[in-house]
Amino acid sequence: MTRETIGAEGADAPGEASAPVFDTLVQMTLNAFERSGLDSETYLLTRIAALVAMSASPTSYLLNVGAADEIGVPVEKIRGTLVAIAPVVGSARVVTAARGIQDAFGLPLLPGEGEEEGAVT
């Protein structure tokens, strides 16, 4: 990657990927699972709940929902997590998150999307 120096800061040119930003993000999450003391299922469900609480973009769910799927976390547990946090974070955030997860992974989390009515309240 070429680097264009702008001013004294030495910032990357607009539009270029910045490895230091990526490296920082990797370091922030490195060993977080081990440090948490949680089992892998609880860890991933907690991270999904935090993303919902933050109104994260649908792409933010890719890593965590994908990892949950890889270790065999049932869709019912993801749905149950959304139901459990709904009274705290609000229905709009839960529906937005469910739609984003559903669109990204094809997981039927909302009523009328291949599931019975009343699956998420």
Side-chain angles (χ1 to χ4, degrees):
M1 169 169 41
T2 61
R3 200 171 159 98
E4 178 181 318
T5 301
I6 301 174
E9 295 85 30
D12 289 337
E16 282 191 35
S18 178
V21 172
F22 179 75
D23 292 343
T24 299
L25 294 173
V26 168
Q27 289 299 317
M28 287 171 46
T29 58
L30 190 62
N31 300 320
F33 169 65
E34 290 83 11
R35 291 190 316 261
S36 75
L38 299 172
D39 63 87
S40 57
E41 183 176 287
T42 303
Y43 178 77
L44 290 168
L45 292 173
T46 301
R47 290 176 64 100
I48 292 167
L51 290 171
V52 175
M54 295 175 50
S55 291
S57 68
T59 56
S60 297
Y61 295 100
L62 289 175
L63 178 64
N64 295 289
V65 174
D69 183 53
E70 284 181 21
I71 67 164
V73 175
V75 68
E76 293 80 16
K77 294 248 181 152
I78 295 172
R79 187 182 298 120
T81 299
L82 298 178
V83 170
I85 65 172
V88 178
V89 301
S91 61
R93 286 188 177 176
V94 169
V95 170
T96 299
R99 176 66 65 190
I101 293 169
Q102 187 170 297
D103 290 348
F105 293 97
L107 296 176
L109 297 173
L110 296 172
E113 305 292 334
E115 290 288 315
E116 300 174 12
E117 285 293 320
V120 177
T121 58

